[in-house]
Amino acid sequence: MKSTNVVTLALLAALALWSNTPAQAAEITILVNQGAVSGVRDLAAGFEKGSGHKVVVDFVGIPQQAEKINTDAPGDLVVNFLPTFDELVKNGKVVAGTVAEFARAGNGVAVKAGAPKPDISTAEGFKQAMLNAKSIGHSNAGTGPYNTRLFQKLGIYDQIKDKIKIVQGKPVAVAVADGEVEIGLQQTNVIQPVAGTQYLGPLPPDLIEYGRFAVAVRNVSKNQEVARDLVKFMTSAEAAPLLRKSAMEPPAR
């Protein structure tokens, strides 16, 4: 009986090695909001395939994410805009030394399906599209506030401010599809793809301002070693094509 058990254990270990699945696969949870969920889902799938561990992507709104962090709800990692981590480290909500920038995204533009498609590939073309639009929608969360600075930089804010609508409670592209606004601006990985709209593309390179995203291990993680491995994967060269698939980019190095 003893020798049988030894053979069985050896077989299980060999199968685990062959399938690239660890003998003790872990399940880890990563908290993420709308700003980076598309990229995180693809990265999680890539990590699962390569490691054999299970990644649960806990997609929540910004207030819900903050509440989970502040109340030390179970979980292993958190993704958010890079500047928010200073406070999280200070308050002991993430493990110091684990914060790592892994992605960035700028804003893109969408119009209703079937509507004329203005050329926004140049700064002048984008400026003219904003001046010609009957209404413009963007959010005030994430990269939303970038748009006000952009309009001011182009010298058109005072001319268009009365036709700007701040979209809340739903993606900007949904407001475009519903006819609430003629043209919408939001993060490239959030504004597309949305049924009933057509994506015109990102802002011209000389106008784009990037939101920077980071990941860190949470103080309450029960699987810190695996969580750290996921951080390494998210910042590796292998992660870049997965991010681009989701209309995000690896950070500038």
Side-chain angles (χ1 to χ4, degrees), residues 53-208:
H53 296 299
K54 172 69 176 176
V55 181
V56 176
V57 178
D58 188 358
F59 172 38
V60 292
I62 293 173
Q64 292 80 12
Q65 186 188 57
E67 182 180 0
K68 288 191 173 192
I69 293 169
N70 292 332
T71 59
D72 291 335
D76 302 284
L77 300 108
V78 60
V79 165
N80 211 323
F81 283 94
L82 181 60
T84 65
F85 284 91
D86 289 341
E87 194 72 14
L88 293 178
V89 171
K90 178 182 176 182
N91 294 335
K93 295 301 182 181
V94 298
V95 179
T98 66
V99 179
E101 185 179 357
F102 73 96
R104 67 179 188 173
N107 285 331
V109 186
V111 295
K112 194 176 180 67
K117 296 189 290 185
D119 180 6
I120 61 153
S121 61
T122 65
E124 186 57 37
F126 174 80
K127 177 180 177 179
Q128 203 57 51
M130 295 300 102
L131 290 170
N132 292 342
K134 294 183 176 64
S135 56
I136 302 164
H138 68 79
S139 75
N140 249 359
T143 59
Y146 296 177
N147 294 302
T148 300
R149 293 198 291 269
L150 172 61
F151 299 147
Q152 291 169 338
K153 176 183 176 180
L154 290 171
I156 60 173
Y157 181 70
D158 288 338
Q159 293 169 263
I160 67 173
K161 63 183 180 181
D162 292 337
K163 58 184 181 181
I164 294 173
K165 177 177 180 179
I166 302 302
V167 179
Q168 297 177 308
K170 58 184 172 183
V172 171
V174 173
V176 173
D178 291 345
E180 295 175 25
V181 291
E182 182 179 311
I183 196 164
L185 294 86
Q186 198 166 24
Q187 216 173 274
T188 53
N189 59 313
V190 178
I191 201 167
Q192 59 162 326
V194 175
T197 68
Q198 46 192 351
Y199 180 58
L200 301 182
L203 296 179
D206 53 334
L207 297 183
I208 203 160

Side-chain angles (χ1 to χ4, degrees), residues 3 11 21 28 79 96 104 106 114 122-123 132 159 171 210 214 221 224 239:
S3 61
L11 179 60
T21 302
I28 58 173
V79 165
R104 67 179 188 173
T122 65
N132 292 342
Q159 293 169 263
Y210 287 100
S221 173
Q224 285 202 18

Side-chain angles (χ1 to χ4, degrees), residues 214-237:
V215 59
V217 178
R218 293 184 61 208
N219 61 311
V220 294
S221 173
K222 304 298 184 186
N223 295 291
Q224 285 202 18
E225 184 177 349
V226 178
R228 287 172 185 266
D229 285 343
L230 177 53
V231 172
K232 289 178 185 176
F233 176 75
M234 291 173 69
T235 55
S236 69

